[in-house]
Amino acid sequence: MPNQAARALAGSRTDAIALVIPEVEARLFAEPYFLDLIRGVSAELAESDKQLLLTLVRTEQERQRFEQYLAAQRVDGVLLASVHGDDPLPDRIGELGLPVVMNGRRTEAEPVPYVDSDNIGAGRAAVAHLVARGRSRIATVTGPLDMYVARARLGSYRAGLTEAGLAPDEELVSAGDFTEEGGRRAMRLLLDRRPDLDAVFAASDVMAAGARGALREAGRRVPEDVALVGVDDSPVARLMDPPLTSVRQPIEEMGRTMARMLIGKIAEGPEDPEAPGARRRIARGVAAVCCRRNWSYASLLEGWGTGRGTGAPRSAETSR
């Protein structure tokens, strides 16, 4: 039976997949999100006898160097995570003729295949949880607004307020950057603007941890004075005291799904962009979701091209 190297040569393939994360090492290893994503991708590729190449692209020079690496046909396909709105790399990879799948998307009408969670539903679930507990001055700490995920969660926060009969207030919105320090800075700004706030929806658990630190510095008790909800249901949330209420994302399953989609695209070969239905297929699945203080949901979306749509909540059972 031929070994893996022989099979690769016979099919002009490398049996290697690149996972590209355009973040610095400090953020990569500090955030559970990336570790869970890598775990899911690695597990799926291991079952398919594929090699995983983890690459950090932090500067324009590194991006150009990575493009040269891809042009030399060193990998069969690329997975991309943490992509910002102006990142040209997804399109450039497509121009090189390589299959690519993203974790998340750059816009509502993303032309590149992606796997995403239901960010619209997540924000609404968080706001509904807080409103059900009598909170009415609900603030939010967003992610960087050049990322679709941050804009989507901000939009869903506003939608949740409107559905609850509460008027959105821009003084209750503060931008973070998905880091703990960013969450701390954003929370301090919110307290300066609106010291009467009684709840906060942070767009990630890591930022929620920073927000909690700022609240404690200001003498505010969580959750007695200010209720706090995050997103991800990560180890960060579980280790907080008290444990953080969090909307869970199926991060490891997203990693597995990305890898499966890419393996399928590699097996299919190049897609004809003029073929009927090309780049417009969407498949959906739902992942069960739970967390310690808030049972909620997040739909897992697999997007091929310009298709749109968000999943509906499967459940929203909550507890104190």
Side-chain angles (χ1 to χ4, degrees):
M1 186 173 184
N3 61 27
Q4 186 174 355
R7 289 198 305 270
L9 285 172
S12 299
R13 291 181 180 167
T14 65
D15 280 339
I17 301 294
L19 171 58
V20 182
I21 301 178
E23 301 289 351
V24 298
E25 294 96 328
R27 187 177 175 208
L28 172 65
F29 294 109
E31 292 199 21
Y33 181 93
F34 293 121
L35 300 181
D36 286 347
L37 190 71
I38 293 168
R39 186 180 298 113
V41 169
S42 178
E44 191 67 29
L45 293 183
E47 294 175 6
S48 304
D49 291 329
K50 303 290 185 184
Q51 298 297 317
L52 174 61
L53 173 66
L54 178 61
T55 304
L56 303 184
V57 176
R58 296 149 294 192
T59 66
E60 176 63 20
Q61 182 179 12
E62 288 180 344
R63 184 182 67 80
Q64 292 178 0
R65 188 183 305 127
F66 181 65
E67 289 181 7
Q68 293 171 0
Y69 184 86
L70 296 180
Q73 299 183 339
R74 304 280 183 85
V75 299
D76 295 331
V78 180
L79 300 169
L80 285 171
S82 194
V83 179
H84 292 252
D86 60 352
D87 193 335
L89 189 56
D91 300 314
R92 180 59 181 147
I93 293 170
E95 292 169 2
L96 291 171
L98 283 169
V100 57
V101 174
M102 297 195 305
N103 171 227
R105 41 189 152 161
R106 295 168 294 178
T107 66
E108 177 74 12
E110 176 60 60
V112 174
Y114 63 85
V115 174
D116 203 356
S117 61
D118 181 1
N119 296 296
I120 302 297
R124 282 176 165 158
V127 172
H129 172 89
L130 292 167
V131 170
R133 276 142 190 80
R135 310 296 173 139
S136 59
R137 297 178 297 280
I138 304 170
T140 186
V141 175
T142 77
L145 295 177
D146 66 334
M147 299 183 74
Y148 173 82
V149 59
R151 297 194 302 274
R153 289 179 188 172
L154 174 58
S156 67
Y157 154 82
R158 289 170 173 155
L161 292 177
T162 300
E163 290 166 2
L166 300 174
D169 182 348
E170 290 307 305
E171 286 193 345
L172 290 171
V173 177
S174 187
D177 58 4
F178 287 134
T179 68
E180 183 172 354
E181 184 56 33
R184 189 185 304 272
R185 288 194 303 267
M187 190 70 245
R188 286 171 178 161
L189 182 59
L190 285 169
L191 288 170
D192 287 342
R193 286 183 192 159
R194 290 294 303 270
D196 61 334
L197 63 84
D198 62 7
V200 179
F201 165 51
S204 75
D205 290 347
V206 172
M207 290 196 300
R212 187 197 62 171
L215 287 166
R216 286 187 169 176
E217 290 171 0
R220 306 297 180 87
R221 297 171 300 165
V222 176
E224 293 86 354
D225 300 326
V226 179
L228 184 61
V229 174
V231 178
D232 288 340
D233 188 30
S234 67
V236 170
R238 293 193 288 274
L239 294 173
M240 287 174 66
D241 182 22
L244 175 70
T245 297
S246 184
V247 180
R248 180 174 180 263
Q249 287 197 97
I251 302 169
E252 188 169 336
E253 180 57 29
M254 284 196 287
R256 279 186 168 273
T257 303
M258 289 170 62
R260 283 196 297 269
M261 286 177 66
L262 186 62
I263 290 169
K265 287 176 65 63
I266 292 169
E268 291 171 2
E271 182 177 59
D272 180 2
E274 302 303 321
R279 303 174 70 81
R280 286 187 172 83
R281 295 181 304 223
I282 291 187
R284 297 187 191 177
V286 176
V289 182
C290 67
C291 52
R292 296 144 316 289
R293 296 171 60 85
N294 176 25
W295 289 76
S296 190
Y297 68 90
S299 295
L300 184 61
L301 307 179
E302 302 170 31
W304 292 78
T306 59
R308 302 176 183 174
T310 57
R314 296 284 291 185
S315 66
E317 180 184 349
T318 57
S319 61
R320 291 183 67 86

mmCIF file of all heavy atoms in Angstrom, residues 50-66:
data_model
loop_
_atom_site.group_PDB
_atom_site.id
_atom_site.type_symbol
_atom_site.label_atom_id
_atom_site.label_comp_id
_atom_site.label_asym_id
_atom_site.label_seq_id
_atom_site.Cartn_x
_atom_site.Cartn_y
_atom_site.Cartn_z
ATOM 1 N N LYS A 50 -4.269 14.377 6.956
ATOM 2 C CA LYS A 50 -3.748 15.645 6.455
ATOM 3 C C LYS A 50 -2.840 16.268 7.510
ATOM 4 O O LYS A 50 -3.066 16.137 8.708
ATOM 5 C CB LYS A 50 -4.884 16.621 6.141
ATOM 6 C CG LYS A 50 -5.908 16.109 5.149
ATOM 7 C CD LYS A 50 -5.357 16.002 3.750
ATOM 8 C CE LYS A 50 -6.447 15.607 2.767
ATOM 9 N NZ LYS A 50 -5.899 15.395 1.402
ATOM 10 N N GLN A 51 -1.821 16.977 7.050
ATOM 11 C CA GLN A 51 -0.906 17.682 7.939
ATOM 12 C C GLN A 51 -1.388 19.115 8.132
ATOM 13 O O GLN A 51 -1.836 19.768 7.192
ATOM 14 C CB GLN A 51 0.516 17.691 7.359
ATOM 15 C CG GLN A 51 1.122 16.312 7.182
ATOM 16 C CD GLN A 51 1.302 15.585 8.504
ATOM 17 O OE1 GLN A 51 1.745 16.178 9.482
ATOM 18 N NE2 GLN A 51 0.949 14.313 8.528
ATOM 19 N N LEU A 52 -1.284 19.610 9.359
ATOM 20 C CA LEU A 52 -1.704 20.974 9.670
ATOM 21 C C LEU A 52 -0.486 21.885 9.780
ATOM 22 O O LEU A 52 0.449 21.601 10.537
ATOM 23 C CB LEU A 52 -2.482 21.004 10.985
ATOM 24 C CG LEU A 52 -2.869 22.396 11.516
ATOM 25 C CD1 LEU A 52 -3.771 23.113 10.526
ATOM 26 C CD2 LEU A 52 -3.533 22.287 12.882
ATOM 27 N N LEU A 53 -0.526 22.988 9.042
ATOM 28 C CA LEU A 53 0.524 23.999 9.103
ATOM 29 C C LEU A 53 -0.086 25.259 9.712
ATOM 30 O O LEU A 53 -0.915 25.925 9.084
ATOM 31 C CB LEU A 53 1.067 24.295 7.703
ATOM 32 C CG LEU A 53 2.060 25.464 7.577
ATOM 33 C CD1 LEU A 53 3.349 25.142 8.311
ATOM 34 C CD2 LEU A 53 2.337 25.780 6.121
ATOM 35 N N LEU A 54 0.277 25.593 10.940
ATOM 36 C CA LEU A 54 -0.238 26.781 11.622
ATOM 37 C C LEU A 54 0.655 27.965 11.282
ATOM 38 O O LEU A 54 1.867 27.929 11.507
ATOM 39 C CB LEU A 54 -0.274 26.562 13.131
ATOM 40 C CG LEU A 54 -0.747 27.746 13.975
ATOM 41 C CD1 LEU A 54 -2.175 28.132 13.613
ATOM 42 C CD2 LEU A 54 -0.646 27.415 15.462
ATOM 43 N N THR A 55 0.045 29.025 10.758
ATOM 44 C CA THR A 55 0.803 30.186 10.302
ATOM 45 C C THR A 55 0.209 31.467 10.884
ATOM 46 O O THR A 55 -0.999 31.684 10.814
ATOM 47 C CB THR A 55 0.766 30.282 8.756
ATOM 48 O OG1 THR A 55 1.258 29.070 8.200
ATOM 49 C CG2 THR A 55 1.617 31.446 8.270
ATOM 50 N N LEU A 56 1.065 32.323 11.454
ATOM 51 C CA LEU A 56 0.650 33.628 11.934
ATOM 52 C C LEU A 56 1.095 34.673 10.916
ATOM 53 O O LEU A 56 2.266 34.733 10.552
ATOM 54 C CB LEU A 56 1.280 33.937 13.298
ATOM 55 C CG LEU A 56 1.001 32.942 14.416
ATOM 56 C CD1 LEU A 56 1.610 33.439 15.719
ATOM 57 C CD2 LEU A 56 -0.471 32.681 14.579
ATOM 58 N N VAL A 57 0.149 35.463 10.444
ATOM 59 C CA VAL A 57 0.447 36.524 9.479
ATOM 60 C C VAL A 57 0.121 37.842 10.165
ATOM 61 O O VAL A 57 -1.045 38.210 10.308
ATOM 62 C CB VAL A 57 -0.363 36.345 8.187
ATOM 63 C CG1 VAL A 57 -0.111 37.510 7.234
ATOM 64 C CG2 VAL A 57 -0.019 35.029 7.513
ATOM 65 N N ARG A 58 1.156 38.563 10.611
ATOM 66 C CA ARG A 58 0.950 39.749 11.441
ATOM 67 C C ARG A 58 1.283 41.055 10.738
ATOM 68 O O ARG A 58 0.862 42.118 11.169
ATOM 69 C CB ARG A 58 1.814 39.626 12.706
ATOM 70 C CG ARG A 58 1.417 38.455 13.599
ATOM 71 C CD ARG A 58 2.580 37.882 14.352
ATOM 72 N NE ARG A 58 3.543 37.261 13.448
ATOM 73 C CZ ARG A 58 4.554 36.476 13.839
ATOM 74 N NH1 ARG A 58 4.724 36.264 15.121
ATOM 75 N NH2 ARG A 58 5.371 35.962 12.958
ATOM 76 N N THR A 59 2.052 41.002 9.666
ATOM 77 C CA THR A 59 2.479 42.212 8.976
ATOM 78 C C THR A 59 2.274 42.050 7.473
ATOM 79 O O THR A 59 2.073 40.933 6.968
ATOM 80 C CB THR A 59 3.966 42.507 9.246
ATOM 81 O OG1 THR A 59 4.766 41.458 8.643
ATOM 82 C CG2 THR A 59 4.257 42.577 10.741
ATOM 83 N N GLU A 60 2.346 43.156 6.747
ATOM 84 C CA GLU A 60 2.246 43.104 5.293
ATOM 85 C C GLU A 60 3.373 42.278 4.702
ATOM 86 O O GLU A 60 3.176 41.524 3.741
ATOM 87 C CB GLU A 60 2.273 44.528 4.729
ATOM 88 C CG GLU A 60 2.260 44.605 3.218
ATOM 89 C CD GLU A 60 1.001 44.028 2.601
ATOM 90 O OE1 GLU A 60 -0.023 43.915 3.310
ATOM 91 O OE2 GLU A 60 1.035 43.695 1.407
ATOM 92 N N GLN A 61 4.571 42.390 5.264
ATOM 93 C CA GLN A 61 5.707 41.604 4.769
ATOM 94 C C GLN A 61 5.447 40.108 4.947
ATOM 95 O O GLN A 61 5.724 39.308 4.042
ATOM 96 C CB GLN A 61 6.975 42.002 5.510
ATOM 97 C CG GLN A 61 8.223 41.266 5.028
ATOM 98 C CD GLN A 61 9.477 41.699 5.783
ATOM 99 O OE1 GLN A 61 9.402 42.377 6.789
ATOM 100 N NE2 GLN A 61 10.634 41.297 5.280
ATOM 101 N N GLU A 62 4.898 39.731 6.084
ATOM 102 C CA GLU A 62 4.596 38.318 6.310
ATOM 103 C C GLU A 62 3.485 37.841 5.384
ATOM 104 O O GLU A 62 3.511 36.690 4.930
ATOM 105 C CB GLU A 62 4.213 38.101 7.774
ATOM 106 C CG GLU A 62 5.387 38.221 8.727
ATOM 107 C CD GLU A 62 4.997 37.996 10.168
ATOM 108 O OE1 GLU A 62 3.777 38.049 10.475
ATOM 109 O OE2 GLU A 62 5.887 37.766 10.991
ATOM 110 N N ARG A 63 2.520 38.714 5.086
ATOM 111 C CA ARG A 63 1.467 38.324 4.157
ATOM 112 C C ARG A 63 2.022 38.059 2.773
ATOM 113 O O ARG A 63 1.684 37.061 2.123
ATOM 114 C CB ARG A 63 0.385 39.408 4.088
ATOM 115 C CG ARG A 63 -0.800 39.018 3.200
ATOM 116 C CD ARG A 63 -1.834 40.121 3.112
ATOM 117 N NE ARG A 63 -1.335 41.293 2.421
ATOM 118 C CZ ARG A 63 -1.266 41.405 1.094
ATOM 119 N NH1 ARG A 63 -1.653 40.400 0.323
ATOM 120 N NH2 ARG A 63 -0.818 42.499 0.528
ATOM 121 N N GLN A 64 2.922 38.927 2.306
ATOM 122 C CA GLN A 64 3.526 38.734 0.991
ATOM 123 C C GLN A 64 4.367 37.465 0.953
ATOM 124 O O GLN A 64 4.345 36.719 -0.030
ATOM 125 C CB GLN A 64 4.370 39.954 0.635
ATOM 126 C CG GLN A 64 3.546 41.211 0.408
ATOM 127 C CD GLN A 64 4.399 42.422 0.110
ATOM 128 O OE1 GLN A 64 5.635 42.339 0.062
ATOM 129 N NE2 GLN A 64 3.763 43.573 -0.093
ATOM 130 N N ARG A 65 5.084 37.214 2.033
ATOM 131 C CA ARG A 65 5.899 36.005 2.094
ATOM 132 C C ARG A 65 5.021 34.756 2.070
ATOM 133 O O ARG A 65 5.344 33.761 1.410
ATOM 134 C CB ARG A 65 6.754 36.022 3.357
ATOM 135 C CG ARG A 65 7.790 34.886 3.420
ATOM 136 C CD ARG A 65 8.564 34.908 4.726
ATOM 137 N NE ARG A 65 9.176 36.210 4.947
ATOM 138 C CZ ARG A 65 9.030 36.923 6.058
ATOM 139 N NH1 ARG A 65 8.279 36.485 7.041
ATOM 140 N NH2 ARG A 65 9.642 38.075 6.187
ATOM 141 N N PHE A 66 3.890 34.826 2.766
ATOM 142 C CA PHE A 66 2.983 33.683 2.778
ATOM 143 C C PHE A 66 2.362 33.464 1.397
ATOM 144 O O PHE A 66 2.195 32.314 0.954
ATOM 145 C CB PHE A 66 1.892 33.894 3.825
ATOM 146 C CG PHE A 66 0.920 32.754 3.925
ATOM 147 C CD1 PHE A 66 1.333 31.508 4.362
ATOM 148 C CD2 PHE A 66 -0.412 32.931 3.575
ATOM 149 C CE1 PHE A 66 0.436 30.445 4.455
ATOM 150 C CE2 PHE A 66 -1.306 31.878 3.659
ATOM 151 C CZ PHE A 66 -0.885 30.635 4.103
#
